[in-house]
């Protein structure tokens, strides 16, 4: 283990807004901190930076989001935090005095870091939505498109359709148009704003001026680039011979269920899909943290207290990985999680922590007031999981079709059994693309509430890594590979 990874007080996993904020706050409190992220640069999904070897000659010409992200990164880098990039956390194993965390850096041999406390800020990923044609070349998630546009300065087509919901459905098409994309339609599954919505948002405006100005700027950008916005419409299929050639969309009711006879077709060579995000819970579940369910926060979310403490002592959680609420909330949750860890480490007393947390708490109250004001517009409709037909591939890794999952769900309502019968969720993404859809099928077939259908049992490694990286004595074995003998020896 490198010398600077010994005697750590805190390991922060995730280099997005929450992780950077937590690491910096903990370091300021006097803790020895290691921040790890699997990307080649800090910033996370929202503040993704240009790829290696690429630079922005004139930073002042970048958009406000990029500049703000750079300021957060600079603050984290200047804080004295030890930063390990291109480093994936593939396992977390509780020990008597903390945790053994297995790290794999850029495909090299794994190493185990032992720490008394963890802040897990894994962020979120695009909500997968399965519909006929979603596996065609040219269908791209909002996160994938953001990577191409922000990190590689690439636009993958000439005629784009954006389909999604939530704040991203306003912001991202505007950003793409700013980058030079020709967007022929922006389809928002949620309803159009009403006067009552405007009044509620206005009542929640105090303290949210930056967000509302951003929203107004994005809307103005759509108007300036003549991007038509259609409310209450959802993609029902993508069509084409070998790649996307046209997109079929239809009107939906308040639950996002398709209204018959409302289909329209538009020619396009790219379909960008952005129906919100879901928390990346793999590490939190592997650590044994309890979860609850809130579809509007991304579905299954981790339980935590006011200081980010989870149900597992020594594990703290922050940011969109605990429930998707946006980057500003993530930053303040990172502050609170770090202050919680500092208290439990007896680096700070409660009174000092409360004083340092006061402004973050005030901002969170104001942000969440705005979220409640926009609930009617941005709530997720259950019909988003009803779009696949029998032949739709729902597990891309293992090429499992909807019909197979429905047949398995008719025999059992156990996710792990459906996984064993169909192999859905056994591929490299470990269910990130299909777990929500499989759970929805089980819910619909069994009559159970979606909130009662859990994901399959988490396993290490939570990220694909070369087998050679794990074939190392430094890897903690939690008993998955070698059975203990009756005498208690291995």
């Amino acid at each position: 283990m490198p010398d600077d990874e010994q005697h750590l007080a805190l390991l922060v996993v995730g280099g997005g807004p929450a992780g950077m904020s937590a690491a910096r706050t903990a370091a300021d409190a006097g803790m020895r901190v290691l921040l790890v992220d699997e990307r080649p640069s800090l910033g996370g999904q929202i503040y993704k930076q240009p790829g290696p070897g690429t630079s922005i000659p004139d930073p002042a010409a970048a958009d406000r989001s990029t500049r703000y992200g750079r300021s957060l990164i600079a603050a984290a880098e200047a804080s004295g935090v030890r930063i390990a990039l291109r480093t994936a956390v593939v396992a977390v194993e509780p020990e008597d005095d903390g945790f053994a965390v297995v790290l794999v850096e850029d495909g090299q041999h794994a190493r185990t870091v032992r720490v008394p406390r963890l802040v897990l800020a894994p962020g979120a990923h695009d909500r997968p939505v399965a519909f006929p044609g979603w596996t065609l070349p040219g269908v791209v998630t909002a996160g994938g498109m953001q990577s191409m546009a922000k990190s590689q300065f690439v636009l993958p087509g000439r005629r784009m359709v954006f389909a999604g919901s939530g704040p991203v459905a306003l912001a991202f098409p505007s950003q793409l148009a700013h980058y030079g994309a020709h967007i022929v339609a922006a389809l928002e599954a949620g309803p159009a704003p009403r006067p009552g919505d405007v009044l509620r948002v206005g009542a929640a405006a105090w303290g949210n001026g930056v967000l509302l100005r951003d929203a107004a700027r994005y809307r103005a950008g759509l108007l300036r680039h003549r991007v038509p916005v259609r409310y209450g419409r959802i993609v029902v299929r993508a069509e084409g011979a070998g790649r996307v050639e046209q997109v079929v969309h239809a009107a939906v009711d308040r639950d996002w269920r398709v209204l018959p006879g409302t289909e329209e077709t538009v020619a396009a060579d790219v379909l960008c899909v952005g129906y919100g995000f879901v928390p990346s819970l793999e590490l939190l579940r592997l650590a044994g943290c309890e979860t609850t369910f809130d579809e509007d926060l991304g579905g299954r979310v981790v339980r935590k207290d006011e200081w980010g403490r989870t149900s597992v002592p020594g594990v703290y959680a922050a940011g969109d990985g605990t429930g998707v609420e946006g980057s500003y909330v993530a930053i303040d949750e990172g502050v609170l999680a770090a202050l919680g860890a500092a208290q439990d480490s007896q680096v700070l007393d409660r009174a000092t922590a409360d004083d340092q947390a006061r402004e973050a708490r005030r901002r969170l109250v104001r942000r969440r007031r705005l979220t409640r004001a926009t609930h009617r517009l941005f709530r997720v409709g259950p019909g988003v999981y009803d779009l696949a037909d029998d032949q739709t591939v729902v597990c891309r890794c293992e090429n499992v079709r909807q019909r197979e999952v429905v047949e398995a769900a008719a025999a059992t309502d156990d996710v792990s059994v459906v996984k064993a019968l169909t192999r859905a969720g056994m591929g490299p993404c470990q269910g990130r693309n299909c777990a929500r859809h499989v759970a929805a099928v089980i819910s619909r077939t069994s009559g159970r509430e979606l909130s009662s259908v859990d994901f399959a049992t988490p396993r290490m490694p939570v990220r694909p890594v070369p087998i050679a990286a794990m074939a190392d004595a430094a890897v903690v074995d939690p008993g998955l590979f070698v059975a203990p003998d009756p005498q208690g020896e291995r």
Side-chain angles (χ1 to χ4, degrees):
M1 183 189 305
D3 291 342
D4 54 5
E5 290 183 2
Q6 297 183 23
H7 310 299
L8 290 170
L10 184 69
L11 173 65
V12 178
V13 181
M20 290 190 292
S21 175
R24 188 176 71 250
T25 301
D28 289 345
M31 301 181 76
R32 187 177 176 86
V33 182
L34 171 64
L35 170 63
V36 302
D37 192 271
E38 60 190 2
R39 300 177 187 273
S41 63
L42 295 176
Q45 181 69 26
I46 184 66
Y47 300 123
K48 188 172 291 181
Q49 300 300 300
T54 305
S55 62
I56 301 175
D58 182 11
D63 60 35
R64 195 192 66 82
S65 175
T66 300
R67 295 195 301 271
Y68 184 58
R70 279 301 317 162
S71 70
L72 294 178
I73 293 169
E77 292 173 338
S79 66
V81 171
R82 152 77 169 152
I83 299 172
L85 299 174
R86 300 181 185 271
T87 301
V89 177
V90 297
V92 175
E93 179 68 13
E95 296 186 326
D96 291 340
D97 56 352
F99 303 89
V101 182
V102 180
L103 307 179
V104 175
E105 181 179 354
D106 212 12
Q108 299 177 18
H109 280 295
R111 67 184 189 274
T112 299
V113 174
R114 288 176 166 81
V115 292
R117 290 177 175 80
L118 302 169
V119 172
L120 299 181
H125 59 90
D126 293 89
R127 182 190 304 276
V129 176
F131 51 85
W134 77 305
T135 58
L136 278 173
V139 180
V140 188
T141 65
M145 182 73 80
Q146 192 174 51
S147 293
M148 285 186 276
K150 283 191 171 184
S151 301
Q152 302 164 26
F153 304 105
V154 170
L155 294 174
R158 297 184 177 183
R159 287 178 58 84
M160 299 186 190
V161 171
F162 181 90
S165 185
V168 70
L170 185 68
F172 200 52
S174 178
Q175 292 172 344
L176 287 176
H178 174 74
Y179 293 142
H182 175 40
I183 301 176
V184 296
L187 310 173
E188 160 66 73
R194 297 174 180 170
D197 298 312
V198 176
L199 290 174
R200 282 188 290 273
V201 169
W206 175 252
N208 291 303
V210 171
L211 290 172
L212 295 179
R213 285 194 295 272
D214 283 347
R217 188 174 68 253
Y218 293 140
R219 184 60 176 152
L222 293 176
L223 292 172
R224 183 169 61 254
H225 292 285
R226 299 181 180 179
V227 176
V229 179
R230 304 281 301 278
Y231 289 95
R233 300 195 70 85
I234 201 167
V235 167
V236 294
R237 62 184 178 274
E239 300 176 337
R243 66 161 296 124
V244 174
E245 295 175 353
Q246 57 188 23
V247 175
V248 181
H249 56 93
V252 293
D253 63 17
R254 68 184 304 274
D255 289 326
W256 293 13
R257 292 195 165 91
V258 173
L259 298 175
T262 62
E263 290 188 356
E264 297 179 19
T265 301
V266 58
D269 58 3
V270 173
L271 169 59
C272 182
V273 182
Y275 289 99
F277 301 91
V278 295
S280 297
L281 289 176
E282 297 90 349
L283 281 175
L284 288 156
R285 296 181 67 242
L286 192 65
C289 301
E290 293 179 1
T291 61
T292 184
F293 190 89
D294 187 331
E295 187 67 83
D296 293 326
L297 294 181
R300 194 152 295 282
V301 296
V302 71
R303 293 183 183 273
K304 63 183 190 298
D305 71 5
E306 61 176 336
W307 296 104
R309 300 184 184 100
T310 70
S311 60
V312 177
V315 178
Y316 309 79
D320 283 353
T322 72
V324 180
E325 296 186 87
S327 60
Y328 290 108
V329 168
I331 291 168
D332 287 328
E333 285 193 341
V335 170
L336 297 180
L339 293 176
Q343 288 179 78
D344 296 343
S345 300
Q346 298 183 336
V347 173
L348 292 180
D349 58 39
R350 176 61 184 267
T352 303
D354 278 334
D355 184 61
Q356 293 186 17
R358 188 169 293 112
E359 285 305 313
R361 294 193 191 286
R362 287 175 179 169
R363 287 191 296 266
L364 286 172
V365 168
R366 294 195 291 262
R367 304 293 188 212
R368 287 166 175 158
R369 187 180 300 129
L370 180 61
T371 298
R372 291 192 296 273
T374 59
H375 178 262
R376 190 189 78 86
L377 302 175
F378 298 149
R379 62 177 288 275
V380 178
V384 74
Y385 299 115
D386 295 344
L387 300 171
D389 62 21
D390 282 350
Q391 294 304 310
T392 301
V393 172
V394 296
C395 174
R396 304 168 69 123
C397 298
E398 297 294 327
N399 199 37
V400 179
R401 298 182 184 273
Q402 169 87 349
R403 172 179 48 79
E404 300 170 72
V405 176
V406 171
E407 290 174 354
T412 177
D413 63 356
D414 187 314
V415 174
S416 293
V417 175
V418 172
K419 176 180 177 180
L421 291 172
T422 66
R423 294 192 59 82
M426 289 190 182
C429 84
Q430 289 292 285
R432 285 165 68 93
N433 275 306
C434 66
R436 295 302 307 282
H437 186 86
V438 170
V441 171
I442 291 173
S443 170
R444 186 166 57 250
T445 304
S446 65
R448 292 172 56 186
E449 292 291 330
L450 182 57
S451 60
S452 71
V453 182
D454 204 350
F455 294 156
T457 305
R459 300 292 188 201
M460 66 88 77
V462 297
R463 285 289 186 269
V465 292
I467 193 168
M470 303 299 293
D472 191 283
V475 177
V476 173
D477 174 18
L480 296 177
F481 308 112
V482 180
D485 70 22
Q487 306 302 318
E489 298 179 354
R490 298 210 171 214

